[in-house]
Amino acid sequence: MYYYKYNNKFLFSKVQIEELEKTTEDQIMDCQDTIYFLNSMDPFSSRRGFMVKSPSQLEKSNEGLEILQTDDNDSPIPDWIGKRIKDGNIKAINVSFPKWKEELDDLPSHWRINVIALGDVGSTLLIGLRLLGSNMTIGIYDRSPDKVRRWVHELGQIRRPFHEKSFPTVEAVDKENLFDCDMVVFCASKGIPPVGSESVDVRMVQFEGNREILKEHGKTAREKGFKGIFAVVSDPVDLLCRGLYLDSNTDDEGNLDYMGLAPNQIIGYGLGVMNARACFHAERNPGLEHYFSEGQVFGPHGKGLIVADSMVNYNEENSLLLTEKTLNSNLEIRGFGFKPYVAPSLSSGALSLIATIGNEYFYGSSMMGEVFMGAKMRLTKNGLDVPSYSLHPLLKDRLENTYNQLRSMI
């Protein structure tokens, strides 16, 4: 091991890095704060920073779906490093990224969140943030100035009697100042099929149009050197996240230079409502109530979704039943004659965003190899924490099928 000190932070690696000031193992052992492990992996398919969950991650040269699977092949390491890993107190940083030192920055203590687009999803999400959010200031932007004026007034007039100052402040934001914040929330959508178009995949119809809008913002984030979280709420979130990553990191000549958004800066918010829908059906079907304490969801917000009835005692039949019911939930709402945007805006949007800035677990899509894949996760000062599991073989097969499906789409 090689040990370093940089800007009062302690780092270590298995390869020598000439540009860093060397220190001793004794000094780094005495550090009570986060320590950083420096590795090198292909930025096309690897994260720039993440919480180290097992000793084997100190040896890996690539990433993929294995992020979700417990690896018992532990590498020989000093005991004190093993304890730090167990405590979740080591962050890995991929030095293959030109701007890897940004991973040493701390999370904000008070979040500035800017929301792009105030349509059905954006406005409903904002209501949730205004009512339930704390430790944040909210900025809003839309191409229509009238919509911005409306929602500044509407949200500003939501007050709890005798606690009138207890809600986050809401302010208008100009387009040129969109990235002067800690989190950008992208809610824009183009070409949503009307009610009655249930024969098509509503989410996929929006992909090309939404990617074009998102590409513009990704390029701006690159130009501005944006260091915060780019939250993608628009459909289809998993594919849009990957598209955003590639577009943001491509220069004007079409070359990938990785000078844009880091993969762990991009999080997709579409899976929260799928968990909520699974809960809705679990409480209405006798024998599936254990989902609340044992179950989880994985994958995309749509085709390829995986509902696992239990991570403790996985049952394929129960899981497939819950998956089918969950996938059809939006079609049921459309069958009633309405667009299903309220639950997604709140469960995937507002509530999940609040959990993110509160360092709590939520469902989101993050980069796993060449795709963005939905799973349980949380944002911590030591990096994005994605839990791993001892997966049932049938569940593992389903995860691999979905992963390969997403990769083929990209």
Side-chain angles (χ1 to χ4, degrees), residues 115-152:
V115 178
I116 300 175
L118 307 178
D120 290 339
V121 171
S123 57
T124 306
L125 181 150
L126 281 170
I127 293 170
L129 289 182
R130 170 71 173 178
L131 288 174
L132 301 172
S134 61
N135 194 35
M136 67 173 71
T137 300
I138 303 168
I140 59 176
Y141 168 78
D142 192 276
R143 289 183 299 175
S144 166
D146 288 338
K147 281 187 178 181
V148 174
R149 284 191 285 267
R150 177 208 173 181
W151 284 106
V152 166

Short mmCIF file of all heavy atoms in Angstrom, two decimals, residues 115-152:
data_model
loop_
_atom_site.label_atom_id
_atom_site.label_comp_id
_atom_site.label_asym_id
_atom_site.label_seq_id
_atom_site.Cartn_x
_atom_site.Cartn_y
_atom_site.Cartn_z
N VAL A 115 -35.42 23.00 -10.04
CA VAL A 115 -36.31 22.09 -10.78
C VAL A 115 -36.56 22.64 -12.17
O VAL A 115 -36.98 23.80 -12.33
CB VAL A 115 -37.63 21.88 -10.03
CG1 VAL A 115 -38.56 20.96 -10.82
CG2 VAL A 115 -37.37 21.30 -8.64
N ILE A 116 -36.32 21.80 -13.18
CA ILE A 116 -36.52 22.18 -14.58
C ILE A 116 -37.84 21.61 -15.09
O ILE A 116 -38.05 20.40 -15.04
CB ILE A 116 -35.38 21.65 -15.47
CG1 ILE A 116 -34.03 22.22 -15.02
CG2 ILE A 116 -35.64 21.97 -16.94
CD1 ILE A 116 -32.85 21.64 -15.77
N ALA A 117 -38.73 22.49 -15.55
CA ALA A 117 -40.01 22.15 -16.19
C ALA A 117 -41.12 21.99 -15.16
O ALA A 117 -41.00 21.20 -14.22
CB ALA A 117 -39.91 20.92 -17.07
N LEU A 118 -42.20 22.74 -15.36
CA LEU A 118 -43.29 22.80 -14.39
C LEU A 118 -44.60 22.28 -14.98
O LEU A 118 -45.66 22.88 -14.82
CB LEU A 118 -43.47 24.25 -13.90
CG LEU A 118 -42.20 24.93 -13.38
CD1 LEU A 118 -42.47 26.36 -12.97
CD2 LEU A 118 -41.63 24.14 -12.21
N GLY A 119 -44.50 21.15 -15.67
CA GLY A 119 -45.70 20.49 -16.16
C GLY A 119 -46.38 19.71 -15.05
O GLY A 119 -46.21 19.99 -13.86
N ASP A 120 -47.14 18.69 -15.42
CA ASP A 120 -47.86 17.88 -14.42
C ASP A 120 -46.90 17.28 -13.40
O ASP A 120 -47.13 17.34 -12.19
CB ASP A 120 -48.63 16.76 -15.11
CG ASP A 120 -49.82 17.28 -15.91
OD1 ASP A 120 -50.28 18.40 -15.62
OD2 ASP A 120 -50.28 16.57 -16.83
N VAL A 121 -45.79 16.69 -13.88
CA VAL A 121 -44.84 16.03 -12.99
C VAL A 121 -44.08 17.06 -12.15
O VAL A 121 -44.01 16.96 -10.92
CB VAL A 121 -43.86 15.16 -13.78
CG1 VAL A 121 -42.74 14.64 -12.88
CG2 VAL A 121 -44.59 13.98 -14.42
N GLY A 122 -43.53 18.06 -12.81
CA GLY A 122 -42.73 19.04 -12.09
C GLY A 122 -43.51 19.80 -11.04
O GLY A 122 -43.02 20.01 -9.92
N SER A 123 -44.72 20.21 -11.36
CA SER A 123 -45.52 20.98 -10.39
C SER A 123 -45.96 20.11 -9.21
O SER A 123 -45.96 20.57 -8.06
CB SER A 123 -46.74 21.60 -11.09
OG SER A 123 -47.54 20.60 -11.70
N THR A 124 -46.32 18.86 -9.47
CA THR A 124 -46.72 17.97 -8.38
C THR A 124 -45.53 17.65 -7.48
O THR A 124 -45.65 17.62 -6.25
CB THR A 124 -47.32 16.66 -8.94
OG1 THR A 124 -48.38 16.98 -9.84
CG2 THR A 124 -47.87 15.79 -7.83
N LEU A 125 -44.38 17.42 -8.10
CA LEU A 125 -43.15 17.18 -7.34
C LEU A 125 -42.85 18.38 -6.44
O LEU A 125 -42.48 18.22 -5.28
CB LEU A 125 -42.01 16.92 -8.31
CG LEU A 125 -40.61 16.62 -7.76
CD1 LEU A 125 -39.86 15.70 -8.74
CD2 LEU A 125 -39.79 17.88 -7.55
N LEU A 126 -43.03 19.58 -6.98
CA LEU A 126 -42.76 20.79 -6.19
C LEU A 126 -43.68 20.92 -4.99
O LEU A 126 -43.25 21.35 -3.91
CB LEU A 126 -42.91 22.02 -7.09
CG LEU A 126 -41.74 22.32 -8.02
CD1 LEU A 126 -42.12 23.40 -9.03
CD2 LEU A 126 -40.52 22.76 -7.21
N ILE A 127 -44.93 20.55 -5.16
CA ILE A 127 -45.86 20.59 -4.02
C ILE A 127 -45.34 19.68 -2.91
O ILE A 127 -45.35 20.04 -1.73
CB ILE A 127 -47.27 20.17 -4.47
CG1 ILE A 127 -47.86 21.22 -5.43
CG2 ILE A 127 -48.20 20.00 -3.26
CD1 ILE A 127 -49.15 20.78 -6.09
N GLY A 128 -44.85 18.49 -3.30
CA GLY A 128 -44.30 17.56 -2.31
C GLY A 128 -43.09 18.14 -1.62
O GLY A 128 -42.95 18.03 -0.38
N LEU A 129 -42.17 18.76 -2.38
CA LEU A 129 -40.98 19.35 -1.78
C LEU A 129 -41.34 20.48 -0.84
O LEU A 129 -40.76 20.63 0.24
CB LEU A 129 -40.03 19.86 -2.87
CG LEU A 129 -39.29 18.83 -3.72
CD1 LEU A 129 -38.36 19.54 -4.70
CD2 LEU A 129 -38.51 17.84 -2.86
N ARG A 130 -42.30 21.31 -1.24
CA ARG A 130 -42.71 22.46 -0.41
C ARG A 130 -43.33 21.98 0.90
O ARG A 130 -43.05 22.51 1.98
CB ARG A 130 -43.70 23.32 -1.19
CG ARG A 130 -44.41 24.41 -0.40
CD ARG A 130 -43.49 25.55 -0.02
NE ARG A 130 -44.27 26.63 0.60
CZ ARG A 130 -43.75 27.75 1.08
NH1 ARG A 130 -42.45 27.95 1.03
NH2 ARG A 130 -44.52 28.68 1.61
N LEU A 131 -44.17 20.96 0.83
CA LEU A 131 -44.87 20.49 2.03
C LEU A 131 -43.99 19.67 2.95
O LEU A 131 -44.10 19.76 4.18
CB LEU A 131 -46.09 19.66 1.64
CG LEU A 131 -47.29 20.41 1.04
CD1 LEU A 131 -48.34 19.42 0.56
CD2 LEU A 131 -47.89 21.37 2.06
N LEU A 132 -43.11 18.85 2.39
CA LEU A 132 -42.39 17.86 3.18
C LEU A 132 -40.89 18.12 3.29
O LEU A 132 -40.23 17.50 4.12
CB LEU A 132 -42.61 16.46 2.56
CG LEU A 132 -44.07 16.01 2.46
CD1 LEU A 132 -44.17 14.71 1.66
CD2 LEU A 132 -44.67 15.82 3.84
N GLY A 133 -40.36 19.00 2.47
CA GLY A 133 -38.93 19.21 2.46
C GLY A 133 -38.43 20.09 3.59
O GLY A 133 -39.18 20.88 4.17
N SER A 134 -37.16 19.93 3.89
CA SER A 134 -36.49 20.78 4.86
C SER A 134 -35.02 20.84 4.47
O SER A 134 -34.56 20.08 3.60
CB SER A 134 -36.63 20.23 6.29
OG SER A 134 -36.05 18.94 6.38
N ASN A 135 -34.28 21.75 5.05
CA ASN A 135 -32.85 21.88 4.76
C ASN A 135 -32.60 22.12 3.27
O ASN A 135 -31.65 21.62 2.70
CB ASN A 135 -32.11 20.62 5.22
CG ASN A 135 -30.61 20.81 5.27
OD1 ASN A 135 -30.14 21.89 5.60
ND2 ASN A 135 -29.85 19.77 4.94
N MET A 136 -33.51 22.89 2.63
CA MET A 136 -33.37 23.16 1.20
C MET A 136 -33.97 24.50 0.83
O MET A 136 -34.84 25.03 1.52
CB MET A 136 -34.05 22.05 0.37
CG MET A 136 -35.57 22.03 0.51
SD MET A 136 -36.38 20.84 -0.62
CE MET A 136 -35.90 19.28 0.10
N THR A 137 -33.45 25.04 -0.27
CA THR A 137 -34.06 26.17 -0.97
C THR A 137 -34.39 25.68 -2.36
O THR A 137 -33.59 24.97 -2.99
CB THR A 137 -33.10 27.37 -1.04
OG1 THR A 137 -32.76 27.78 0.28
CG2 THR A 137 -33.73 28.53 -1.78
N ILE A 138 -35.57 26.03 -2.87
CA ILE A 138 -36.04 25.50 -4.15
C ILE A 138 -36.06 26.60 -5.21
O ILE A 138 -36.64 27.67 -5.00
CB ILE A 138 -37.46 24.91 -4.02
CG1 ILE A 138 -37.49 23.82 -2.94
CG2 ILE A 138 -37.93 24.34 -5.35
CD1 ILE A 138 -38.89 23.38 -2.55
N GLY A 139 -35.39 26.34 -6.32
CA GLY A 139 -35.46 27.23 -7.48
C GLY A 139 -36.26 26.56 -8.58
O GLY A 139 -36.21 25.34 -8.73
N ILE A 140 -37.04 27.33 -9.34
CA ILE A 140 -37.87 26.74 -10.39
C ILE A 140 -37.63 27.44 -11.72
O ILE A 140 -37.44 28.65 -11.79
CB ILE A 140 -39.37 26.75 -10.03
CG1 ILE A 140 -39.87 28.17 -9.78
CG2 ILE A 140 -39.61 25.88 -8.80
CD1 ILE A 140 -41.38 28.23 -9.51
N TYR A 141 -37.63 26.63 -12.79
CA TYR A 141 -37.42 27.15 -14.14
C TYR A 141 -38.36 26.45 -15.11
O TYR A 141 -38.58 25.23 -15.03
CB TYR A 141 -35.98 26.94 -14.61
CG TYR A 141 -35.82 27.20 -16.09
CD1 TYR A 141 -35.73 28.50 -16.57
CD2 TYR A 141 -35.79 26.15 -17.00
CE1 TYR A 141 -35.62 28.76 -17.93
CE2 TYR A 141 -35.68 26.39 -18.37
CZ TYR A 141 -35.59 27.70 -18.82
OH TYR A 141 -35.50 27.94 -20.17
N ASP A 142 -38.89 27.21 -16.05
CA ASP A 142 -39.69 26.66 -17.15
C ASP A 142 -39.56 27.61 -18.33
O ASP A 142 -39.29 28.81 -18.16
CB ASP A 142 -41.16 26.53 -16.74
CG ASP A 142 -41.97 25.70 -17.72
OD1 ASP A 142 -42.42 26.26 -18.74
OD2 ASP A 142 -42.14 24.49 -17.47
N ARG A 143 -39.73 27.08 -19.53
CA ARG A 143 -39.67 27.93 -20.71
C ARG A 143 -40.79 28.96 -20.72
O ARG A 143 -40.68 29.99 -21.39
CB ARG A 143 -39.74 27.07 -21.98
CG ARG A 143 -38.48 26.26 -22.24
CD ARG A 143 -38.59 25.48 -23.54
NE ARG A 143 -39.70 24.53 -23.51
CZ ARG A 143 -40.07 23.79 -24.56
NH1 ARG A 143 -39.44 23.91 -25.71
NH2 ARG A 143 -41.08 22.95 -24.45
N SER A 144 -41.86 28.68 -19.99
CA SER A 144 -42.97 29.62 -19.89
C SER A 144 -42.82 30.48 -18.64
O SER A 144 -42.97 29.98 -17.52
CB SER A 144 -44.30 28.85 -19.82
OG SER A 144 -45.34 29.71 -19.40
N PRO A 145 -42.53 31.78 -18.77
CA PRO A 145 -42.43 32.66 -17.60
C PRO A 145 -43.71 32.71 -16.77
O PRO A 145 -43.66 32.86 -15.56
CB PRO A 145 -42.11 34.03 -18.21
CG PRO A 145 -41.52 33.73 -19.56
CD PRO A 145 -42.24 32.50 -20.02
N ASP A 146 -44.85 32.55 -17.45
CA ASP A 146 -46.13 32.59 -16.72
C ASP A 146 -46.25 31.41 -15.76
O ASP A 146 -46.77 31.55 -14.64
CB ASP A 146 -47.31 32.58 -17.70
CG ASP A 146 -47.46 33.90 -18.43
OD1 ASP A 146 -46.95 34.92 -17.91
OD2 ASP A 146 -48.06 33.91 -19.52
N LYS A 147 -45.76 30.25 -16.18
CA LYS A 147 -45.79 29.08 -15.28
C LYS A 147 -44.91 29.33 -14.06
O LYS A 147 -45.28 28.98 -12.94
CB LYS A 147 -45.31 27.82 -16.02
CG LYS A 147 -46.35 27.18 -16.92
CD LYS A 147 -45.81 25.86 -17.44
CE LYS A 147 -46.84 25.15 -18.31
NZ LYS A 147 -46.33 23.84 -18.81
N VAL A 148 -43.75 29.91 -14.30
CA VAL A 148 -42.84 30.19 -13.18
C VAL A 148 -43.50 31.15 -12.20
O VAL A 148 -43.50 30.93 -10.99
CB VAL A 148 -41.51 30.77 -13.69
CG1 VAL A 148 -40.62 31.19 -12.52
CG2 VAL A 148 -40.78 29.74 -14.56
N ARG A 149 -44.08 32.25 -12.73
CA ARG A 149 -44.74 33.23 -11.86
C ARG A 149 -45.88 32.58 -11.08
O ARG A 149 -46.06 32.82 -9.89
CB ARG A 149 -45.25 34.40 -12.69
CG ARG A 149 -44.15 35.37 -13.13
CD ARG A 149 -44.74 36.63 -13.71
NE ARG A 149 -45.27 36.40 -15.05
CZ ARG A 149 -44.58 36.58 -16.18
NH1 ARG A 149 -43.32 36.99 -16.12
NH2 ARG A 149 -45.14 36.36 -17.35
N ARG A 150 -46.65 31.75 -11.79
CA ARG A 150 -47.78 31.08 -11.13
C ARG A 150 -47.32 30.26 -9.94
O ARG A 150 -47.85 30.36 -8.84
CB ARG A 150 -48.51 30.17 -12.12
CG ARG A 150 -49.63 29.40 -11.44
CD ARG A 150 -49.94 28.07 -12.10
NE ARG A 150 -50.91 27.31 -11.30
CZ ARG A 150 -51.34 26.11 -11.63
NH1 ARG A 150 -50.92 25.52 -12.72
NH2 ARG A 150 -52.21 25.48 -10.84
N TRP A 151 -46.26 29.41 -10.15
CA TRP A 151 -45.86 28.48 -9.09
C TRP A 151 -45.06 29.15 -7.98
O TRP A 151 -45.09 28.68 -6.84
CB TRP A 151 -45.11 27.29 -9.70
CG TRP A 151 -46.07 26.34 -10.35
CD1 TRP A 151 -46.27 26.15 -11.68
CD2 TRP A 151 -47.02 25.51 -9.67
NE1 TRP A 151 -47.27 25.23 -11.89
CE2 TRP A 151 -47.75 24.82 -10.67
CE3 TRP A 151 -47.32 25.28 -8.34
CZ2 TRP A 151 -48.76 23.91 -10.37
CZ3 TRP A 151 -48.32 24.37 -8.02
CH2 TRP A 151 -49.03 23.70 -9.03
N VAL A 152 -44.40 30.26 -8.27
CA VAL A 152 -43.79 31.02 -7.18
C VAL A 152 -44.89 31.52 -6.24
O VAL A 152 -44.76 31.45 -5.01
CB VAL A 152 -42.95 32.20 -7.72
CG1 VAL A 152 -42.60 33.17 -6.60
CG2 VAL A 152 -41.68 31.69 -8.38
#
